[in-house]
């Protein structure tokens, strides 16, 4: 067996680990699970640490189980939260679960015939017919209130750090999660639960439940909560989360996020979010140190993660799109961009609207009449004559050039460029 714990250790992916876990895993193949909260129909990069742990687990010869919390998602985990979540209905949860499985399939092997193929389970399947009386009688009696109150996630909510305290609904969360571990232990041979550092209390409640009810030993492992070097929250931008769903975060924006991380974060993230070996990563870090300004480490990180999440073709498209602003991109490359990527690349660029029935239109009338790319026709004429004007990445040499519908990107945009760095979008209305 490949040593799973050692693999995580050098990658900096272990926060807490129950004694005996490493030895148990080296005895032979076993199953472990990570819980995922289905409060949205897409995962974001904050989920990727747990997903990568499952990926490494499978790669080391063990069976990964992804538990989507259809039941616990109806309650909301109080860990690291200052207020109670909105509860989701069953239809929304079912939709979210289906979308999440499709995304997980990019990381985990659910389909092959190998013995350790991944499995997706939904705790709603075993909780939906559990009556309140049965649960409190069969499960609740085994864990004391004193034990539950000692958990950090509970103490923080009851100590005055949260204005609204904690509802009974949320208080039961750790017991429900503990039962998940018990159920998977009995029905799937699952001996290990893994998750983020904030889940340690919930996870150990599960192992304690297994010990008290079955008299068996179960194990726990958590990974650190990922932070940025500047103290900011990982995975958050001014526009919110970086999602795995390309409709929420385009592959270009996804690629750009990784490309723009700091040097120190790149060194940390490339160990956590890629499957590159220690030798490959050490070599890449050493190479980067020789010429940090080339940002080779960030480029490698962005390539590996974007390819894993969105595929090689979308990675190549993202690289090509990145050349639009900073490289010698061609007109053909620009015209091949889909609308979402085009707008993402030129996000924030000044935009003017021109009616479609105005075309074909002379270049000077377009840039200094129907739009305000230039404040005057005279200035526009001089800039064209100085070879300083481009339409769709091609220089305009003729002051009498006509711009027609053949120049429309995606049938509705023209990209004008004044000098080297000043871009303008003309939207065809």
């Amino acid at each position: 067996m490949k040593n799973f714990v050692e693999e995580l250790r050098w990658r900096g992916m272990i926060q807490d680990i129950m004694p005996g876990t490493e030895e148990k895993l080296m005895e032979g193949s076993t199953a472990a699970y990570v819980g995922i909260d289905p409060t949205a129909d897409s995962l974001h990069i904050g989920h990727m640490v747990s997903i990568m742990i499952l990926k490494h687990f499978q790669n080391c010869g063990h069976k990964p189980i992804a538990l989507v919390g259809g039941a616990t998602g109806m309650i909301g985990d109080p860990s690291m939260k200052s207020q109670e979540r909105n509860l989701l209905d069953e239809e929304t949860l079912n939709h979210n679960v289906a979308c999440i499985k499709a995304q997980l399939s990019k990381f985990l092997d659910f389909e092959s015939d190998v013995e350790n193929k991944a499995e997706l389970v939904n705790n709603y399947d075993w909780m939906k017919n559990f009556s309140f009386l049965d649960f409190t009688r069969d499960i609740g009696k085994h864990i004391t209130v004193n034990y539950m109150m000692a958990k950090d996630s509970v103490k923080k909510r009851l100590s005055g750090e949260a204005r609204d305290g904690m509802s009974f609904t949320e208080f039961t969360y750790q017991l429900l999660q503990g039962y998940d571990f018990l159920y998977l232990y009995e029905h799937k041979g699952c001996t290990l639960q893994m998750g983020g550092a904030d889940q340690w209390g919930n996870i150990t409640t599960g192992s304690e439940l297994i010990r008290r009810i079955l008299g068996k030993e179960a194990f726990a492992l958590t990974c650190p909560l990922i932070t940025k070097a500047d103290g900011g929250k990982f995975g958050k931008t001014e526009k919110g989360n970086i999602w795995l769903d390309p409709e929420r975060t385009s592959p270009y924006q996804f690629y750009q996020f990784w490309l723009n991380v700091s040097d120190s974060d790149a060194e940390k993230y490339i160990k956590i979010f890629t499957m590159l070996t220690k030798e490959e990563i050490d070599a890449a870090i050493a190479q980067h140190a020789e010429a940090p300004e080339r940002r080779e480490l960030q480029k490698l990180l962005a390539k590996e993660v974007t390819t894993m999440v969105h595929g090689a073709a979308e990675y190549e498209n993202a690289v090509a799109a990145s050349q639009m602003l900073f490289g010698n991109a061609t007109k053909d490359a620009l015209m091949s961009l889909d609308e979402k990527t085009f707008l993402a690349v030129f996000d924030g660029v000044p935009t003017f609207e021109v009616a479609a029935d105005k075309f074909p239109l002379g270049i000077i009338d377009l840039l200094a009449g129907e739009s305000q790319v230039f404040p005057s026709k005279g200035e526009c004429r001089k800039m064209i004559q100085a070879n300083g004007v481009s339409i769709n990445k091609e220089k305009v040499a003729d002051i009498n050039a006509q711009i027609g519908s053949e120049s429309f990107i995606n049938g509705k945009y023209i990209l004008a460029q004044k000098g080297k760095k000043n871009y303008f979008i003309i939207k065809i209305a």
Side-chain angles (χ1 to χ4, degrees):
M1 296 292 297
K2 187 176 179 181
N3 192 323
F4 169 68
V5 173
E6 182 56 37
E7 182 72 19
L8 293 194
R9 190 176 284 126
W10 77 259
R11 291 180 182 272
M13 296 175 72
I14 294 180
Q15 176 78 21
D16 294 301
I17 182 168
M18 193 173 286
T21 302
E22 185 170 5
E23 293 77 9
K24 174 64 177 177
L25 293 176
M26 292 305 294
E27 290 176 5
S29 181
T30 188
Y33 89 95
V34 165
I36 297 171
D37 186 3
T39 49
D41 61 2
S42 172
L43 303 170
H44 53 74
I45 61 174
H47 293 104
M48 277 186 62
V49 185
S50 295
I51 297 170
M52 291 304 295
I53 285 178
L54 285 179
K55 187 172 179 66
H56 284 297
F57 195 70
Q58 187 170 41
N59 198 47
C60 288
H62 301 288
K63 180 182 179 66
I65 298 174
L67 181 147
V68 181
T72 41
M74 291 181 168
I75 294 173
D77 180 6
S79 302
M80 307 293 283
K81 306 295 186 298
S82 60
Q83 59 186 9
E84 191 160 347
R85 297 182 184 186
N86 293 328
L87 309 186
L88 302 179
D89 59 66
E90 187 175 347
E91 182 181 355
T92 302
L93 283 165
N94 288 338
H95 167 74
N96 293 354
V97 168
C99 294
I100 287 169
K101 183 177 182 182
Q103 291 181 342
L104 288 173
S105 297
K106 297 179 179 180
F107 298 87
L108 304 172
D109 176 9
F110 287 95
E111 304 301 332
S112 75
D113 295 328
V114 295
E115 290 184 7
N116 68 322
K117 73 176 181 179
E119 190 172 348
L120 183 81
V121 296
N122 182 349
N123 63 9
Y124 185 72
D125 291 337
W126 57 81
M127 290 302 303
K128 61 184 176 184
N129 296 321
F130 219 145
S131 75
F132 178 74
L133 289 176
D134 288 341
F135 188 81
T136 52
R137 181 191 63 195
D138 298 339
I139 306 301
K141 69 179 180 181
H142 294 284
I143 299 292
T144 66
V145 171
N146 307 60
Y147 180 88
M148 296 172 71
M149 294 278 286
K151 301 294 184 181
D152 285 342
S153 59
V154 175
K155 285 196 292 187
K156 288 179 180 178
R157 289 291 293 273
L158 297 179
S159 66
E161 292 182 29
R163 290 177 299 173
D164 300 325
M166 174 185 278
S167 69
F168 175 77
T169 303
E170 285 187 299
F171 184 62
T172 61
Y173 186 94
Q174 64 170 289
L175 203 55
L176 292 169
Q177 185 171 329
Y179 179 72
D180 288 341
F181 198 179
L182 173 66
Y183 182 91
L184 292 176
Y185 188 101
E186 289 187 288
H187 294 85
K188 303 289 184 182
C190 182
T191 60
L192 171 65
Q193 184 182 169
M194 306 180 291
D198 58 319
Q199 290 296 307
W200 182 254
N202 292 334
I203 292 173
T204 51
T205 296
S207 60
E208 181 66 10
L209 201 57
I210 290 167
R211 186 186 70 80
R212 294 187 182 189
I213 294 178
L214 301 178
K216 303 287 187 179
E217 190 174 23
F219 300 90
L221 182 155
T222 63
C223 57
L225 298 179
I226 305 303
T227 57
K228 295 196 296 184
D230 63 6
K233 188 170 183 180
F234 169 74
K236 287 281 190 179
T237 67
E238 291 180 2
K239 295 186 176 181
N241 286 320
I242 303 296
W243 299 92
L244 305 194
D245 183 348
E247 294 303 314
R248 288 174 175 252
T249 299
S250 71
Y252 166 77
Q253 292 167 319
F254 187 87
Y255 171 78
Q256 284 291 320
F257 171 82
W258 300 102
L259 193 63
N260 289 309
V261 302
S262 69
D263 287 353
S264 59
D265 284 339
E267 284 194 28
K268 179 168 65 173
Y269 296 166
I270 201 163
K271 296 174 184 176
I272 296 171
F273 298 108
T274 79
M275 295 298 288
L276 295 173
T277 65
K278 189 176 189 302
E279 292 72 25
E280 289 170 327
I281 290 172
D282 288 345
I285 291 173
Q287 181 184 11
H288 177 81
E290 294 176 3
E293 69 280 359
R294 296 176 60 184
R295 301 182 70 78
E296 294 297 335
L297 194 62
Q298 285 89 339
K299 290 176 184 177
L300 179 60
L301 170 67
K303 175 184 178 180
E304 292 294 319
V305 183
T306 305
T307 301
M308 182 162 49
V309 173
H310 294 296
E314 288 293 358
Y315 160 71
E316 296 292 347
N317 290 340
V319 172
S322 299
Q323 296 300 312
M324 294 298 161
L325 287 174
F326 309 112
N328 298 316
T330 64
K331 178 181 178 180
D332 288 344
L334 177 66
M335 299 296 281
S336 70
L337 292 182
D338 62 88
E339 182 177 4
K340 192 176 184 69
T341 302
F342 172 78
L343 293 176
V345 171
F346 297 100
D347 183 36
V349 166
T351 301
F352 304 102
E353 285 196 0
V354 177
D357 59 12
K358 299 279 187 179
F359 293 88
L361 197 58
I363 183 68
I364 293 177
D365 288 332
L366 174 64
L367 300 183
E370 297 298 329
S371 71
Q372 287 76 53
V373 172
F374 287 91
S376 70
K377 293 185 177 182
E379 185 177 331
C380 180
R381 185 178 296 108
K382 287 180 183 178
M383 185 70 90
I384 293 173
Q385 292 169 334
N387 206 31
V389 173
S390 297
I391 293 293
N392 296 341
K393 287 291 180 178
E394 284 193 339
K395 293 288 185 182
V396 178
D398 183 3
I399 59 174
N400 296 310
Q402 295 289 305
I403 307 299
S405 58
E406 72 280 354
S407 296
F408 296 171
I409 302 167
N410 292 296
K412 63 175 87 169
Y413 303 103
I414 294 171
L415 180 70
Q417 188 175 351
K418 181 168 65 173
K420 289 186 177 181
K421 298 181 179 179
N422 297 309
Y423 289 96
F424 304 85
I425 291 175
I426 296 169
K427 184 177 181 181
I428 316 307

